[in-house]
Amino acid sequence: MIYLVVGGSKSGKSSYGERLAKELDNEKNNLYYIATMNPYDLEDLKRIENHIEERKDYGFKTIEKFKNIEEIIEEINNKEKILYKTNSTKYIEKVNSKKEESLDRVDIKKCVIFIDSITSLLTNEMFDGKNYNKFAFEKVLKGLNLILESSKDTVIISDYLFSDGIIYDSYTEDFRKALGKINKELATIANVVVECSFGNIIIHKGKEESAFEKVYKRISNGN
């Protein structure tokens, strides 16, 4: 299933999405955090540090991916191989059981993939050094679709940047339009769409989905 969580800056969307992803991970060992923020200053580094602290007990396997999200499935496979090899006991068990070939592949259909965030990913693709790609959203959507077609569940975090009524410079306006197109497309195909706003959780789509209904109740009850 596809879960889209949107909200403004510091709305709690990432924390909510992390809890949602954790609850969806029935296998308890197939939870991947795709971190897309490329830190530009101390504030960004502090935000990343806070996110790492918040999710430290969730069991995420983190992969930093600032661009080229379409490569993430292969990187998850590579990540799993590295994880096996750094856990000598598990690695030896796999080799002794003559299942070494399984080290190279992961059953993506059992994985829960958490992507935080589309906003940072689009920024990195759209403004690459001195290069500016007005149509980077097309590449982002194509890459996301590859993930959505492959994983068991995908939780996607994105920003809502469209309510202040200010007209910005052309680059910023192009960025907002591109993010809007991505959000619109994701909201259309998502099974569940959640908005985080001033501490409130607003379900715009999918509350009737049985899988989400159970998870939503657990999160709401603080379990």
Side-chain angles (χ1 to χ4, degrees):
M1 290 178 62
I2 304 167
Y3 301 80
L4 174 63
V5 182
V6 299
S9 177
K10 300 179 181 178
S11 62
K13 60 185 180 296
S14 292
S15 296
Y16 184 85
E18 289 167 3
R19 291 162 61 198
L20 174 58
K22 179 177 180 292
E23 290 290 342
L24 292 168
D25 181 29
N26 298 325
E27 300 292 328
K28 303 303 179 187
N29 193 38
N30 288 298
L31 188 56
Y32 290 86
Y33 192 112
I34 313 305
T36 65
M37 176 181 279
N38 187 9
Y40 292 99
D41 53 30
L42 291 176
E43 183 179 351
D44 286 346
L45 288 171
K46 182 63 177 176
R47 184 180 300 180
I48 291 172
E49 183 180 305
N50 290 340
H51 281 200
I52 292 173
E53 178 65 23
E54 288 175 358
R55 69 176 188 264
K56 65 180 181 180
D57 298 322
Y58 282 19
F60 280 107
K61 300 171 186 178
T62 300
I63 300 175
E64 291 187 339
K65 193 64 178 171
F66 306 144
K67 295 179 61 180
N68 303 319
I69 197 73
E70 69 278 1
E71 300 172 352
I72 206 63
I73 299 301
E74 188 59 36
E75 293 203 17
I76 286 176
N77 289 325
N78 292 336
K79 182 78 171 180
E80 193 71 8
K81 185 175 182 179
I82 292 169
L83 286 168
Y84 274 130
K85 287 193 173 181
T86 55
N87 185 330
S88 58
T89 302
K90 185 177 288 188
Y91 184 72
I92 291 170
E93 288 175 354
K94 287 281 184 179
V95 173
N96 288 343
S97 63
K98 297 181 180 180
K99 293 181 179 180
E100 187 172 3
E101 68 278 0
S102 67
L103 296 174
D104 295 330
R105 310 304 300 177
V106 178
D107 188 352
I108 299 297
K109 289 295 183 182
K110 294 182 178 180
C111 291
V112 177
I113 298 178
F114 177 81
I115 304 174
D116 191 5
S117 68
I118 298 305
T119 316
S120 294
L121 178 63
L122 179 62
T123 300
N124 301 333
E125 290 284 5
M126 201 165 182
F127 305 100
D128 183 13
K130 294 182 179 180
N131 298 319
Y132 166 64
N133 182 3
K134 183 176 181 178
F135 300 101
F137 70 90
E138 295 177 348
K139 179 184 178 184
V140 170
L141 280 172
K142 186 177 292 186
L144 288 171
N145 280 324
L146 290 175
I147 297 172
L148 299 177
E149 291 169 358
S150 303
S151 63
K152 168 183 172 286
D153 292 303
T154 307
V155 180
I156 304 171
I157 306 299
S158 191
D159 282 88
Y160 186 82
L161 307 176
F162 318 105
S163 60
D164 57 17
I166 300 173
I167 298 177
Y168 294 92
D169 62 86
S170 60
Y171 291 109
T172 304
E173 287 299 324
D174 284 347
F175 177 82
R176 296 209 304 171
K177 290 176 182 177
L179 183 63
K181 289 177 180 178
I182 294 174
N183 286 354
K184 182 179 178 181
E185 179 66 22
L186 290 176
T188 300
I189 63 177
N191 302 95
V192 176
V193 179
V194 178
E195 179 184 357
C196 297
S197 178
F198 299 102
N200 298 307
I201 305 300
I202 305 166
I203 313 300
H204 290 290
K205 180 182 179 182
K207 191 172 184 178
E208 71 283 354
E209 293 280 356
S210 58
F212 175 64
E213 186 177 14
K214 295 175 183 177
V215 171
Y216 177 69
K217 286 180 179 178
R218 289 200 296 270
I219 295 176
S220 299
N221 293 331
N223 297 326

